[in-house]
Amino acid sequence: MKHEIIFARLPEIEPNEIIAHMSDPRVAEHMPLLTSEWDVAAVTKFVETKEDCWRRDGLGHWAILSNSKYVGWGGFQREGDEWDYGLVLKPESFGLGTRISRKAIEFAFADDRIPFVTFLLPPSRKNLGALTRLGATFVDKIEYDGATFLKYRLETG
């Protein structure tokens, strides 16, 4: 089956879609910073925070659609002088991660603002072959908001 991947904006997604997505324990398994319940107020705050990034930096996280259906969110967020890429898919769409990431990385290569991309992955993520195939290299283990992450970097400039 062909999957047409579209990057849209998070306000276009019904809050209940995001609530169901972010409340799935299979999603939380690899998100050590996901510690609170998701409800309409949490989604409203989340979407507004991500939209603030768009207003501030001209880039941020997208809602990701496959064949016009919401499958998750992800994109680039400025962290100091770095552009961090993140992707959070619904469990039934985990298999689309490489395809979506390739499309996002193509965007980064074409954008002069992004000389490199960083990736922060929890140590629970064991299958990192896709990152290596993209050309990312391991930087270090880091602490972020009290959790440990594996940091990778991909040169795009």
Side-chain angles (χ1 to χ4, degrees), residues 56-102:
R56 182 187 67 230
D57 303 321
L59 187 58
H61 285 102
W62 298 291
I64 301 166
L65 310 177
S66 175
N67 299 333
S68 301
K69 181 180 173 201
Y70 173 76
V71 296
W73 60 270
F76 302 97
Q77 184 165 315
R78 194 161 180 85
E79 299 286 345
D81 292 334
E82 300 179 345
W83 286 96
D84 187 65
Y85 173 73
L87 180 63
V88 181
L89 295 176
K90 294 168 79 173
E92 61 271 18
S93 300
F94 283 170
L96 295 174
T98 299
R99 181 176 296 154
I100 292 166
S101 293
R102 284 192 190 283

Side-chain angles (χ1 to χ4, degrees), residues 30-129:
H30 296 295
M31 295 186 72
L33 300 179
L34 182 60
T35 58
S36 59
E37 298 245 345
W38 280 72
D39 56 18
V40 172
V43 170
T44 301
K45 182 179 178 186
F46 167 76
V47 170
E48 187 58 33
T49 299
K50 297 307 181 187
E51 286 297 296
D52 284 345
C53 293
W54 280 95
R55 286 187 283 277
R56 182 187 67 230
D57 303 321
L59 187 58
H61 285 102
W62 298 291
I64 301 166
L65 310 177
S66 175
N67 299 333
S68 301
K69 181 180 173 201
Y70 173 76
V71 296
W73 60 270
F76 302 97
Q77 184 165 315
R78 194 161 180 85
E79 299 286 345
D81 292 334
E82 300 179 345
W83 286 96
D84 187 65
Y85 173 73
L87 180 63
V88 181
L89 295 176
K90 294 168 79 173
E92 61 271 18
S93 300
F94 283 170
L96 295 174
T98 299
R99 181 176 296 154
I100 292 166
S101 293
R102 284 192 190 283
K103 182 173 181 165
I105 298 304
E106 286 173 14
F107 177 93
F109 270 92
D111 192 313
D112 291 338
R113 297 174 292 181
I114 307 175
F116 62 90
V117 174
T118 59
F119 306 83
L120 298 180
L121 301 167
S124 63
R125 293 289 310 263
K126 301 297 183 201
N127 186 1
L128 303 173

Side-chain angles (χ1 to χ4, degrees), residues 128 132 135-142 149-153:
L128 303 173
T132 306
T137 57
F138 178 71
V139 175
D140 203 355
K141 282 187 177 180
I142 66 159
F149 290 89
L150 307 174
K151 183 175 183 175
Y152 285 78
R153 178 177 166 140

